[in-house]
Amino acid sequence: MSSTLVHLVDIPQRGDARGQLAVAELGGALPFPVRRVYWIHGTTPGVSRGFHAHKKLRQLCVCVAGSVRMSLFDGRREESVILDSHAKGLLIGPGLWREMHDFSPDCVLMVFASTEYDEGDYIRDRDQFIRHVAG
Ligand code: TYD
């Protein structure tokens, strides 16, 4: 088992005197080809999201504005990390229960995903997830 559930990658910054430019590309910050991009923004104050795991999907989450706390659980241990930088990405592989809490009002969370949307890849029941990772 990995020593940490939180895998952060540096997003290369190519800003200059004109302003900021950040790059996520295959072989750089992105360890997988991207088939889908979505972003979460305008989150209702106090709302938490997620509460699911994936069987196969890989994701890179970048909080390009504001902040959010990501909670990861592998069936035994839970770890949290605050994403508040456009220069850091959180890699989430399969077999991790994720929750998103404490969205700032200005939070924009970009998610780069390895597959198209597939409801069949989701595990939305926590007890079912625990059984899934147990074997
Ligand atoms: P949901 O999985 O509930 O979001 P979260 O995990 O952030 O709480 O997704 C909200 C809705 O959007 C749900 O009806 C499924 C749909 N959806 C898509 O159609 N495509 C996508 O890529 C994603 C992530 C969600």
Side-chain angles (χ1 to χ4, degrees):
M1 183 179 290
S2 165
S3 60
T4 177
L5 308 182
V6 174
H7 293 280
L8 292 172
V9 296
D10 292 323
I11 309 288
Q13 302 297 304
R14 300 286 179 256
D16 56 29
R18 297 169 296 173
Q20 304 306 317
L21 191 157
V23 184
E25 68 180 329
L26 185 61
L30 276 165
F32 53 81
V34 172
R35 302 293 295 266
R36 174 168 53 109
V37 180
Y38 63 93
W39 48 98
I40 293 171
H41 62 114
T43 303
T44 304
V47 159
S48 295
R49 304 191 60 128
F51 301 95
H52 66 256
H54 287 282
K55 297 171 190 166
K56 293 187 177 155
L57 185 71
R58 303 174 73 190
Q59 293 168 301
L60 177 72
C61 303
V62 184
C63 188
V64 297
S67 64
V68 61
R69 180 169 62 86
M70 307 287 291
S71 161
L72 301 175
F73 173 62
D74 68 356
R76 297 201 317 190
R77 292 177 303 140
E78 188 272 342
E79 290 180 18
S80 270
V81 62
I82 293 173
L83 299 183
D84 60 1
S85 169
H86 58 270
K88 292 282 179 193
L90 176 66
L91 281 171
I92 307 179
L96 282 175
W97 183 265
R98 83 287 314 274
E99 300 175 7
M100 292 162 268
H101 302 283
D102 305 334
F103 286 90
S104 66
D106 60 343
C107 179
V108 181
L109 182 66
M110 298 277 303
V111 183
F112 302 87
S114 63
T115 71
E116 293 86 347
Y117 178 73
D118 173 14
E119 186 59 36
D121 189 63
Y122 280 72
I123 303 171
R124 292 191 183 274
D125 180 88
R126 200 169 185 276
D127 291 336
Q128 185 191 340
F129 166 71
I130 291 169
R131 287 195 297 274
H132 176 79
V133 289

